[in-house]
Amino acid sequence: MNQSLLSTPSGTLKIPYFCTTREIACDCLPKLSLILPTYNEAGNIKDIIEILSQLLDQYIPERYEIIIVDDNSPDYTWKLALELTSNYPQLHVMRRVEEKGLSTAVIRGWQVAQGEILGVIDADLQHPPEVLEKLLEEMERGADLAVASRHVEGGGVSEWSILRRVLSRGAQILGLIILPEVISRLSDPMSGYFMVRRNAIACKTLSPVGYKILIEVAARGCISWIAEVGYVFRERQDGESKVTWKQYIEYIQHLLGLRLSISARFIKFSLVGLTGVVVDMGFLYLLSDKIGPELPLTRSKIIAAELAVINNFLWNDCWTFGDISRRQPEKRQRLKRLIKFNLICLAGLVLNVFFLNMFVRIFNYNKYIANLLAIILVTLWNFWFNLKLSWRVTEID
Ligand code: GDD
Ligand code: MN
């Protein structure tokens, strides 16, 4: 029986497409790898393992693994869990000594996991284990991310103090202000109980801060379909919560870090757009002016615009979205990205002309101010659709 501890990964927090650090226990990979991050859970660990094993033996017999990731608990949670492995062949234990923290514990567990679905649940029985069945159903239906939420039908919290409720809701509102495109997709962004498809986050460098692993997954993963399942957050039976003010500060830090890294992409995209303006203007001059072939204006503009689009594509493909396109280096995929980029920019060109005319003819704006506004609006359009279509979709190919 697996009485030995799992090796503790180190280095970047990247989940592989396939776990190669462990030999496969049976002739098929587990469907679900469920991580239990633990710190001083000696009073709960036996119960939670027993309940989880019973339920998962019903839901997905022999197709799951439970991985405890303990941060060297002073109450020897890891030791108690290791002793349990002789009764539960699906149970594995990792004891971390150097690295600490809830969210990195979850990711380290996912790094050694073998399942196509990666899950996380607290070890203190506050997350009702029976909700796993509904989360699995949602994943089977094709969700990329299935979240147990306290804020949808069937959800709630037990006797949380007013302060904790206010803090939880306040944290959510703050998230909507700083990171609307991520937090608005989740009714309970603070949830620590969810499942995610391995492919949706594989090879993404995750850099969570503190407790909130879910927003890291939702922000950095390729998450098209999010399913939510209601659950009632229970009272603790044993031990106490490790949540302190530090976790709330870390949460704000995490939101700002994600904002910066997502916006960094937009800033790079805008800078590339500026180089495109220079290329467009330059070739318009060279092609239509007397120093060159003096082509008709429209033909010069079309050639100059297309050269600017190709210039922008090359810069965006190797710099702005380089982290994504490096994983699809094939010529066929790159050509597909170029065609999509071209089509989106062409639609952007039409929009540009439309906005320019609207601001000048309807709102009587000065034509250069109108053109600048039109360019800003179309840059947002180009960025958003290229992020969602050109570079994202090729990942699914
Ligand atoms: N390995 C490890 N390292 N585990 C930890 C650490 C740590 O530093 N801190 C806490 N844990 C484990 C606990 O042992 C427990 O299993 C789980 O993470 C949750 O910790 P709690 O301290 O009980 O958190 P909570 O109950 O106040 O809040 C939980 O539920 C919320 C709602 O889902 C956390 O999961 C929050 O992230 C979550 O928002
Ligand atoms: Mn808890």
Side-chain angles (χ1 to χ4, degrees):
M1 282 307 160
N2 51 353
Q3 277 281 350
S4 56
L5 288 168
L6 289 175
S7 60
T8 305
S10 57
T12 49
L13 294 162
K14 230 183 226 183
I15 321 284
Y17 277 105
F18 303 99
C19 173
T20 49
T21 54
R22 290 165 52 209
E23 79 283 349
I24 298 172
C26 61
D27 57 358
C28 59
L29 283 170
K31 176 173 276 306
L32 169 69
S33 296
L34 188 62
I35 309 301
L36 276 69
T38 58
Y39 192 71
N40 286 341
E41 299 297 351
N44 294 311
I45 199 70
K46 191 170 176 309
D47 293 348
I48 185 76
I49 294 302
E50 191 179 327
I51 296 167
L52 287 177
S53 302
Q54 269 168 8
L55 289 173
L56 292 170
D57 281 343
Q58 282 170 42
Y59 305 154
I60 39 174
E62 317 259 319
R63 297 295 314 277
Y64 70 90
E65 60 180 358
I66 297 170
I67 300 176
I68 303 265
V69 182
D70 183 74
D71 283 0
N72 206 23
S73 299
D75 70 0
Y76 295 101
T77 305
W78 62 272
K79 209 172 205 170
L80 291 169
L82 199 58
E83 286 158 11
L84 291 169
T85 53
S86 47
N87 307 332
Y88 300 99
Q90 269 80 16
L91 176 62
H92 305 277
V93 182
M94 185 192 297
R95 175 194 182 192
R96 300 199 306 168
V97 181
E98 266 86 45
E99 207 173 36
K100 295 256 177 267
L102 170 55
S103 40
T104 57
V106 175
I107 297 171
R108 294 303 183 198
W110 285 343
Q111 283 183 311
V112 300
Q114 294 181 334
E116 65 166 289
I117 297 174
L118 305 173
V120 54
I121 183 172
D122 289 354
D124 56 10
L125 292 159
Q126 288 192 281
H127 290 163
E130 55 280 2
V131 170
L132 286 171
E133 186 175 27
K134 289 190 208 144
L135 292 175
L136 276 168
E137 278 165 12
E138 292 301 340
M139 295 304 286
E140 288 296 321
R141 286 177 53 219
D144 300 307
L145 177 63
V147 183
S149 167
R150 293 161 292 182
H151 307 312
V152 293
E153 196 195 328
V157 287
S158 48
E159 294 87 63
W160 263 18
S161 65
I162 295 289
L163 176 65
R164 182 116 194 223
R165 287 172 197 260
V166 166
L167 283 172
S168 183
R169 278 297 185 185
Q172 188 173 1
I173 293 164
L174 198 63
L176 283 169
I177 295 166
I178 299 176
L179 212 58
E181 69 274 34
V182 175
I183 306 296
S184 59
R185 299 182 71 194
L186 298 161
S187 66
D188 185 0
M190 308 299 135
S191 177
Y193 188 10
F194 61 88
M195 291 179 188
V196 61
R197 200 166 299 285
R198 175 193 286 272
N199 283 353
I201 54 169
C203 291
K204 301 257 181 253
T205 304
L206 302 174
S207 54
V209 178
Y211 258 45
K212 305 306 167 199
I213 174 77
L214 176 59
I215 54 172
E216 184 70 12
V217 164
R220 297 194 194 274
C222 286
I223 307 285
S224 309
W225 175 357
I226 299 179
E228 296 195 318
V229 169
Y231 86 99
V232 177
F233 189 74
R234 293 174 179 160
E235 274 311 289
R236 244 184 188 272
Q237 310 299 320
D238 188 286
E240 75 275 335
S241 167
K242 287 83 189 173
V243 170
T244 62
W245 279 100
K246 187 172 162 273
Q247 270 73 42
Y248 287 98
I249 305 294
E250 284 177 339
Y251 168 67
I252 298 167
Q253 230 183 315
H254 192 185
L255 284 176
L256 293 172
L258 281 169
R259 175 72 284 152
L260 212 62
S261 75
I262 292 174
S263 306
R265 223 192 263 289
F266 180 68
I267 294 163
K268 287 179 183 175
F269 188 85
S270 307
L271 290 175
V272 168
L274 277 179
T275 67
V277 172
V278 172
V279 169
D280 188 317
M281 293 290 195
F283 276 98
L284 183 69
Y285 171 67
L286 292 173
L287 295 170
S288 65
D289 207 278
K290 39 184 158 320
I291 66 154
E294 289 192 81
L295 295 179
L297 183 62
T298 308
R299 202 182 315 166
S300 308
K301 172 60 190 169
I302 291 170
I303 297 169
E306 187 47 38
L307 289 170
V309 166
I310 292 170
N311 165 76
N312 290 7
F313 173 77
L314 294 173
W315 278 109
N316 282 322
D317 203 43
C318 65
W319 185 43
T320 314
F321 300 101
D323 59 320
I324 298 176
S325 47
R326 267 190 288 282
R327 285 194 301 285
Q328 297 86 32
E330 281 173 44
K331 286 200 174 54
R332 178 182 61 83
Q333 288 172 321
R334 197 164 202 203
L335 182 65
K336 209 170 172 185
R337 287 198 293 274
L338 173 60
I339 294 165
K340 284 184 189 140
F341 184 75
N342 240 315
L343 291 174
I344 292 169
C345 292
L346 193 64
L349 195 61
V350 170
L351 266 179
N352 206 332
V353 172
F354 167 75
F355 285 134
L356 178 65
N357 281 286
M358 181 183 80
F359 287 131
V360 171
R361 296 182 199 290
I362 300 172
F363 298 107
N364 298 317
Y365 280 16
N366 161 294
K367 67 180 171 185
Y368 297 107
I369 304 286
N371 195 32
L372 186 64
L373 283 175
I375 287 172
I376 291 168
L377 288 174
V378 168
T379 304
L380 289 167
W381 153 282
N382 282 343
F383 178 71
W384 180 254
F385 279 90
N386 278 303
L387 180 68
K388 288 297 163 198
L389 295 177
S390 309
W391 275 276
R392 275 272 191 264
V393 174
T394 42
E395 286 195 76
I396 302 171
D397 288 354

